[in-house]
Amino acid sequence: MKSVMEALKDNFNKTISIRTSPGSLDRITVVTANGKLALNQIGQISMKSPHLILVNMASFPECTAAAIKAIRESGMNLNPEVEGTLIRVPIPKVTREHREMMVKLAKQNTNKAKDSLRKVRTNAMNKLKKSKDKVSEDTIRLIEKQISQMADDTVAELDRHLAVKTKELLG
């Protein structure tokens, strides 16, 4: 359950932010002849200014076109420009519409985290039911209550993080 929480926090910090950082491009997956690779594995990502990120594709020039396609389709509202093996990614100004889109994305990610949490809870309950032969029913009921309480607490924490992120994004 903690790993679900940490994954959501990490996602919020890296991808759903109005402040741009080079790390926001790390998660973009590029489809190459060698398979799917993260953009930071095939290109060197750096910030030139708060409004421009550079991706140097000198080590894998053959992947430049695939990287551009991946950046465009990332859903981050980016329009990269090419200069040889250098990809310039101008960062657009943050509009109200973009902020609302980010909030929507944050809600989707929170719902995915809740789904993952439900799977964790269900798996724990199933493991518990399998051990009915070895443990008394009272103990099983007590542990079921504890698992449910932990899941409910984590859902509440996920909702709190969503509320904080929504407030941050909408200003």
Side-chain angles (χ1 to χ4, degrees):
M1 291 184 189
K2 281 186 179 178
S3 65
V4 170
M5 189 73 218
E6 293 304 314
L8 183 73
K9 282 183 190 175
D10 190 43
N11 187 314
F12 276 1
N13 290 337
K14 286 197 174 165
T15 59
I16 304 176
S17 178
I18 52 176
R19 289 176 204 83
T20 309
S21 68
S24 58
L25 297 182
D26 286 352
R27 292 182 178 260
I28 294 177
T29 307
V30 181
V31 180
T32 64
N34 302 337
K36 292 182 177 181
L37 297 169
L39 184 60
N40 63 348
Q41 290 178 328
I42 59 172
Q44 182 182 2
I45 303 171
S46 59
M47 291 264 322
K48 181 151 186 181
S49 71
H51 302 290
L52 184 67
I53 294 179
L54 299 177
V55 182
N56 189 346
M57 299 294 290
S59 32
F60 289 95
E62 66 277 5
C63 298
T64 306
I68 291 166
K69 182 179 179 204
I71 293 169
R72 276 202 183 106
E73 295 172 356
S74 68
M76 294 171 65
N77 196 21
L78 301 173
N79 192 16
E81 303 160 359
V82 184
E83 233 178 71
T85 58
L86 191 69
I87 302 172
R88 294 174 174 274
V89 186
I91 307 303
K93 286 206 183 292
V94 182
T95 61
R96 182 81 182 160
E97 182 182 299
H98 182 68
R99 288 173 186 260
E100 288 168 358
M101 197 173 80
M102 297 294 262
V103 168
K104 205 178 282 187
L105 193 61
K107 286 179 184 173
Q108 287 175 355
N109 288 342
T110 303
N111 287 336
K112 282 181 190 172
K114 287 179 182 179
D115 289 343
S116 298
L117 192 66
R118 279 187 214 103
K119 286 178 188 170
V120 169
R121 182 182 171 275
T122 304
N123 288 343
M125 292 294 200
N126 289 341
K127 283 181 184 175
L128 189 63
K129 287 177 183 168
K130 286 179 184 173
S131 66
K132 274 190 175 172
D133 315 347
K134 305 168 197 148
V135 187
S136 71
E137 274 191 43
D138 292 340
T139 308
I140 288 177
R141 281 205 184 92
L142 181 68
I143 295 172
E144 280 179 351
K145 276 186 180 176
Q146 287 175 340
I147 291 172
S148 293
Q149 185 61 46
M150 285 170 63
D152 293 345
D153 291 347
T154 308
V155 165
E157 197 174 335
L158 290 173
D159 288 336
R160 272 196 306 278
H161 280 288
L162 177 63
V164 167
K165 194 65 178 178
T166 302
K167 189 176 180 183
E168 175 193 321
L169 289 171
L170 295 178

